[in-house]
Amino acid sequence: MATDKKKQVIYLPLEDVESEHCALIVEKGLARLKSIETHQVELNNRRAVITVDNTQAVAEAIKAIKDLGYGVSTVKNTFPVLGMTCASCAGSAESIVTYEPGVVSAAVNFATGNLTVEYLPNMTDAAKLQKAVQSIGYDLLIEDETKQQETLEVIHAQKFQNLKIKTIWATILSFPVVVIGMFFMNMPYADPIMWLFSTPVVLWLGKDFFINAWKQAIHRSANMDTLVALSTGIAYLFSVFNMLLPEFWHRRGLHAHVYFEAASVIIAFILLGKLLEEKAKGNTSSAIKKLMGLQSKTVIVILPDGTQKQTAIEEVATGDVILVKPGEKIAVDGIVTSGSSYVDESMLSGEPIPVLKKGSEKVFAGTINQKGSFQFKAVKVGKETMLAQIIKTVQDAQGSKAPVQKLVDKIAGIFVPVVIGIAILTFMLWFVLDGDNGVVHGLLAAVTVLVIACPCALGLATPTAIMVGVGKGAENGILIKDAESLELAKKVDAIVLDKTGTITEGRPEVTGFKWLNNDDAASNVLLSIEKQSEHPLAEAVVKHFDGIPTPALSGFESITGTGAKAGHDNDTYYVGNKKLLAENNIIIDDQLQIQAEQWGSQSKTVIWFLNSRQALAVIAISDNIKEKSAQAIQEMQAMGIDLYMLTGDNEATAKAIAEQTGIRHYKAEVLPQHKAAFIKELQQQGKIVAMVGDGINDSTALATADVSIAMGKGSDIAMDVAKMTIISSDLTKIPQAIRLSKQTVATIKQNLFWAFVYNLIGIPIAAGILYPINGFLLNPMIAGAAMAFSSISVVSNSLRLKWKK
């Protein structure tokens, strides 16, 4: 990030700093930062006052405070930037926002046209940021988010239409200029006719290039508009001079050439290139448009008196009961209260098969109801719905910058000044070395250098590929949170898998039951105990027996590490593992013992039910392996990735799961903190590690891994920590994500290669390097066409990602 040497006093609003002791800890933390000149924690004002000379120092201070366990109140927002025409514009807008007091970080993505900014709300706000951006000739759209997208669509549609009209008129007016300039140069009044047709092209249709270049010049900056304005302006003025004062050249024995066709055709080609680029860039964000298209505008709310009311989606509140008819989109997240139907969730999960939704099942905004109708209670509305969260995540990921982009941004930042310098040097060399024709050839070569150089191809190379890659992932049920994880996933050579909920369904079920005697009364007691138990396996027993009457119990007690017990009918009953039998000297019948051993060898969890004298029953509970887990594991191992399964289960269960799925490496009885330690061990061996998990106990391991992947049906904490989420919890999506990463990175490299090669070859040829060898001097018109289509080729290459498998 650029630095501003002017000293700034920054006020950081602190969170959770409640005492002098806390303030002292923060003071010491800030004292360790060399980038901060002065610092002071004001406990009464709940803020830290620091003096810095760059925004990077502010970000470091905030990170240091957060690392100490305290918070800093910041706001993170995304605003569309209006009026940008090239990658250098994005750099200018980013710089001006970065230097605004109170801004922690700012990034402008030229491909998405968005500014992502984090700022201190006590020091700046959206209106101040808008003024800063307006001062250099651009604008920020700071409307409410719900209106923002609609306004943006209208602005883009209007911009595209205006561009289309300008391109058509520029082509029509340039055509006669080209015909005369190429074939009828000696006809009467050729120069004035060409001047007449080219003037509206340059000064009317191309006026935005000159206006924007002037705005940049005022702020000592330059962008692609500067190159276009300089090249066409020089060609046009030079031609007007030669037309009005031909004697100046005639006295020197030279012919007074005019280059009206070059000036007008360059603008026509660049406008055409911008039109095609705008259309192509629109296609890169098609995934977002599809997701936004899933949002309903109105719903039918069932009022307390049973009547129905058509309500706008914005007015739906949590707790409202909504009716969904066949073929309708589900408007908000909720729980089915009555009725049932199959729902198409493919746009969220990537899974094509509709899912049955009945009482107490969750439904999600954006999914499409099939033939039945049902009512559901709204649980999450507005920005809280899963669809809204996915849209925001995809937008943030598409707007984020991959690590490779940092180098490209630096190059784009100095690109235009360097090109202007090369153009001036080119003119000087021609002037000195070419004798009588030096001025004419020098001006032509300088104009061609200015025209052919294109920072846009560089600026679009990475973000367009990221946009398409993230969008394609979302369409296939792979939610990618940032560009860095998408870029890094291709390097993953070790994957650590949690067992429960990741490889297995995560829903334990009773798969076997053996009674010593068929005792219905005893099963009632068993159900009654398990209903009061908090153990995860108890739920499986309750589900299996639910519906039978349950007697009242006395003295219920949960026994840590072994199970639970309760009194009934002057007897004590126990439910739990084999430790209970040994601790209470319980008699076990041989047939129950044999059955328990058999189930144990099949990796099933065995639960015993007993009274104070003997074992009454043995129960088998198992967590079934997901249908596609074995296939996914084979695919990943075939890609050369080492897989490790870590589970808290016993050795026998872990071994059986590993054998059934084909996993070669596994560890049993692993505690949550040991998962993170194991990942660190792998990292120390030089491996790039991905962690796949679904529970709260996986969050530390997910945070430790290089690439973190959460199962979408798991806990919210795991999904918050993870950089990728598999919405359907289908493991086959992981090899898909890795392939997508490889394809995206390959596309970025191709784009950058062609963008660099284009400029490395194009600029020397434009400067006239071939002239001494074969007399070839590139026509500025051809340079204009080449420049216009370089950006389109980069965007088109990114779009190829959509059709790759």
Side-chain angles (χ1 to χ4, degrees):
M1 191 178 286
T3 58
D4 182 1
K5 292 301 175 188
K6 187 179 175 183
K7 299 286 186 292
Q8 288 185 13
V9 177
I10 303 292
Y11 300 93
L12 304 177
L14 299 174
E15 297 171 1
D16 304 320
V17 177
E18 307 290 347
S19 65
E20 286 292 351
H21 178 65
C22 297
L24 188 62
I25 291 170
V26 173
E27 281 265 14
K28 286 179 179 177
L30 293 173
R32 286 195 287 268
L33 299 178
K34 293 177 182 176
S35 55
I36 296 175
E37 304 235 344
T38 64
H39 63 276
Q40 182 183 350
V41 176
E42 299 175 351
L43 180 61
N44 292 339
N45 294 327
R46 297 278 180 90
R47 69 184 187 182
V49 185
I50 59 173
T51 307
V52 297
D53 61 10
N54 64 77
T55 52
Q56 188 63 46
V58 179
E60 285 174 11
I62 291 172
K63 185 179 183 301
I65 293 168
K66 287 182 176 178
D67 286 346
L68 292 167
Y70 303 105
V72 177
S73 304
T74 63
V75 174
K76 194 170 185 180
N77 265 326
T78 300
F79 303 109
V81 185
L82 307 177
M84 291 196 300
T85 56
C86 72
S88 296
C89 300
S92 301
E94 187 175 302
S95 294
I96 199 79
V97 173
T98 299
Y99 294 150
E100 191 69 15
V103 170
V104 178
S105 66
V108 175
N109 187 314
F110 175 49
T112 59
N114 286 337
L115 159 71
T116 303
V117 60
E118 186 179 2
Y119 58 89
L120 300 164
N122 59 317
M123 291 195 68
T124 190
D125 55 33
K128 288 178 183 175
L129 299 177
Q130 185 185 40
K131 281 182 184 174
V133 172
Q134 285 171 340
S135 72
I136 56 166
Y138 310 116
D139 201 358
L140 274 192
L141 190 62
I142 57 171
E143 284 185 344
D144 178 69
E145 263 183 59
T146 51
K147 295 178 184 174
Q148 195 181 80
Q149 196 59 37
E150 291 174 19
T151 309
L152 202 55
E153 291 288 331
V154 172
I155 289 168
H156 281 319
Q158 203 172 354
K159 181 184 175 185
F160 186 79
Q161 194 58 33
N162 290 342
L163 208 48
K164 194 174 179 181
I165 293 166
K166 283 183 179 181
T167 305
I168 292 167
W169 274 108
T171 306
I172 292 168
L173 292 171
S174 297
F175 183 74
V177 183
V178 173
V179 172
I180 295 169
M182 292 289 191
F183 307 108
F184 303 104
M185 272 298 293
N186 297 321
M187 67 178 273
Y189 303 108
D191 290 359
I193 291 169
M194 287 194 290
W195 176 55
L196 184 69
F197 279 101
S198 64
T199 298
V201 176
V202 176
L203 301 183
W204 172 47
L205 300 171
K207 72 176 190 285
D208 288 342
F209 295 118
F210 296 95
I211 292 167
N212 292 337
W214 174 248
K215 285 177 180 176
Q216 291 293 314
I218 291 170
H219 289 88
R220 297 180 186 177
S221 184
N223 63 7
M224 194 196 80
D225 292 326
T226 310
L227 299 181
V228 176
L230 280 173
S231 57
T232 54
I234 290 167
Y236 179 79
L237 292 172
F238 184 59
S239 301
V240 170
F241 177 84
N242 290 358
M243 180 186 72
L244 298 176
L245 298 167
E247 299 83 14
F248 178 84
W249 300 106
H250 294 162
R251 284 198 300 270
R252 289 163 174 77
L254 298 170
H255 183 68
H257 280 291
V258 293
Y259 298 96
F260 289 120
E261 79 279 8
S264 59
V265 172
I266 285 167
I267 284 176
F269 269 132
I270 290 168
L271 287 172
L272 176 63
K274 280 186 168 294
L275 183 73
L276 296 173
E277 182 188 306
E278 196 71 25
K279 191 171 178 62
K281 274 164 66 181
N283 289 335
T284 62
S285 60
S286 61
I288 278 287
K289 287 175 184 171
K290 279 184 192 173
L291 288 168
M292 286 181 167
L294 294 173
Q295 293 175 311
S296 301
K297 302 291 181 192
T298 59
V299 295
I300 297 171
V301 174
I302 307 294
L303 300 175
D305 61 4
T307 57
Q308 298 178 5
K309 181 189 175 187
Q310 190 93 5
T311 307
I313 185 69
E314 294 83 11
E315 293 174 21
V316 175
T318 303
D320 283 352
V321 177
I322 296 164
L323 172 66
V324 185
K325 294 179 180 177
E328 287 186 344
K329 289 173 187 169
I330 292 164
V332 296
D333 292 1
I335 294 174
V336 177
T337 53
S338 67
S340 66
S341 179
Y342 281 90
V343 174
D344 179 0
E345 296 186 338
S346 58
M347 275 306 290
L348 295 183
S349 66
E351 296 299 315
I353 301 165
V355 181
L356 177 63
K357 300 290 182 180
K358 52 185 190 295
S360 301
E361 296 267 353
K362 289 181 182 178
V363 289
F364 301 100
T367 55
I368 301 166
N369 184 26
Q370 300 290 288
K371 293 178 182 176
S373 72
F374 59 88
Q375 295 179 13
F376 72 95
K377 185 170 77 173
V379 175
K380 290 182 178 177
V381 299
K383 293 178 187 177
E384 294 179 351
T385 66
M386 189 178 187
L387 178 63
Q389 293 293 327
I390 288 172
I391 290 170
K392 185 166 191 321
T393 302
V394 173
Q395 282 178 323
D396 289 348
Q398 288 185 336
S400 66
K401 293 188 178 183
V404 69
Q405 181 72 11
K406 291 171 186 173
L407 173 65
V408 177
D409 284 348
K410 285 180 183 175
I411 294 167
I414 60 167
F415 186 89
V416 174
V418 167
V419 169
I420 293 170
I422 292 171
I424 293 167
L425 181 63
T426 300
F427 174 76
M428 290 167 64
L429 287 171
W430 276 102
F431 182 76
V432 172
L433 301 174
D434 195 34
D436 292 339
N437 291 318
V439 173
V440 177
H441 283 161
L443 273 174
L444 265 182
V447 165
T448 310
V449 166
L450 292 170
V451 169
I452 204 165
C454 181
C456 294
L458 280 174
L460 290 167
T462 304
T464 52
I466 294 293
M467 282 180 76
V468 177
V470 169
K472 188 178 177 184
E475 286 176 5
N476 287 283
I478 304 163
L479 199 56
I480 299 161
K481 289 191 182 176
D482 61 22
E484 188 173 353
S485 57
L486 180 62
E487 186 180 331
L488 190 59
K490 74 173 280 285
K491 297 179 183 176
V492 167
D493 52 11
I495 296 178
V496 175
L497 298 164
D498 173 49
K499 179 185 78 71
T500 307
T502 302
I503 296 172
T504 64
E505 293 285 358
R507 294 192 301 270
E509 294 177 354
V510 172
T511 55
F513 217 102
K514 188 166 182 67
W515 287 99
L516 179 62
N517 304 304
N518 288 327
D519 192 342
D520 289 340
S523 63
N524 294 351
V525 175
L526 169 64
L527 177 60
S528 198
I529 293 173
E530 291 292 54
K531 274 189 171 179
Q532 294 185 55
S533 173
E534 294 175 357
H535 197 281
L537 296 177
E539 193 179 330
V541 177
V542 171
K543 194 175 176 183
H544 184 77
F545 282 104
D546 212 8
I548 63 173
T550 52
L553 302 176
S554 61
F556 175 85
E557 184 186 337
S558 180
I559 308 167
T560 305
T562 53
K565 72 173 184 177
H568 175 68
D569 234 5
N570 300 320
D571 202 351
T572 304
Y573 291 87
Y574 301 83
V575 183
N577 58 25
K578 205 169 182 181
K579 283 183 185 176
L580 278 172
L581 300 165
E583 288 172 3
N584 294 283
N585 300 314
I586 299 298
I587 301 164
I588 307 171
D589 188 272
D590 288 345
Q591 59 177 316
L592 293 184
Q593 182 66 48
I594 292 165
Q595 185 64 75
E597 288 171 2
Q598 186 183 334
W599 282 335
S601 66
Q602 293 170 0
S603 78
K604 295 181 179 181
T605 302
V606 177
I607 292 178
W608 294 86
F609 177 50
L610 44 142
N611 61 17
S612 55
R613 299 173 301 282
Q614 63 182 354
L616 302 176
V618 63
I619 309 156
I621 295 178
S622 65
D623 184 6
N624 295 327
I625 295 169
K626 288 178 186 173
E627 190 182 339
K628 294 183 180 177
S629 289
Q631 177 195 332
I633 285 158
Q634 285 172 15
E635 277 186 52
M636 288 185 274
Q637 290 182 157
M639 293 167 84
I641 298 168
D642 292 330
L643 292 186
Y644 301 85
M645 181 182 76
L646 303 186
T647 176
D649 263 343
N650 59 56
E651 177 71 24
T653 302
K655 185 181 179 184
I657 296 287
E659 285 173 355
Q660 288 172 47
T661 55
I663 291 179
R664 298 180 194 127
H665 313 289
Y666 68 90
K667 277 194 164 192
E669 298 177 7
V670 179
L671 296 172
Q673 61 269 32
H674 296 155
K675 289 181 182 179
F678 181 72
I679 288 169
K680 283 179 183 172
E681 280 177 35
L682 293 175
Q683 288 169 332
Q684 284 165 7
Q685 293 168 25
K687 292 184 182 291
I688 304 295
V689 185
M691 169 68 196
V692 187
D694 76 318
I696 293 169
N697 60 349
D698 296 321
S699 54
T700 308
L702 286 166
T704 307
D706 299 295
V707 177
S708 46
I709 304 169
M711 295 286 109
K713 292 177 182 174
S715 74
D716 289 343
I717 292 175
M719 285 185 272
D720 285 344
V721 172
K723 297 294 184 185
M724 287 188 191
T725 299
I726 307 300
I727 297 171
S728 65
S729 294
D730 177 359
L731 273 184
T732 57
K733 299 289 183 185
I734 295 171
Q736 278 185 36
I738 293 168
R739 282 193 289 271
L740 179 63
S741 169
K742 288 178 178 176
Q743 290 167 356
T744 306
V745 172
T747 302
I748 290 170
K749 286 179 178 175
Q750 290 161 12
N751 286 350
L752 289 173
F753 173 79
W754 288 114
F756 278 114
V757 165
Y758 164 82
N759 284 299
L760 286 172
I761 294 173
I763 291 173
I765 291 173
I769 198 167
L770 297 177
Y771 190 79
I773 301 165
N774 58 12
F776 177 77
L777 195 59
L778 187 65
N779 189 314
M781 289 189 294
I782 306 299
M787 183 271 217
F789 287 101
S790 65
S791 297
I792 301 160
S793 64
V794 163
V795 179
S796 301
N797 189 46
S798 294
L799 286 170
R800 286 194 314 120
L801 262 174
K802 280 187 173 186
W803 297 287
K804 287 185 178 178
K805 289 186 179 179

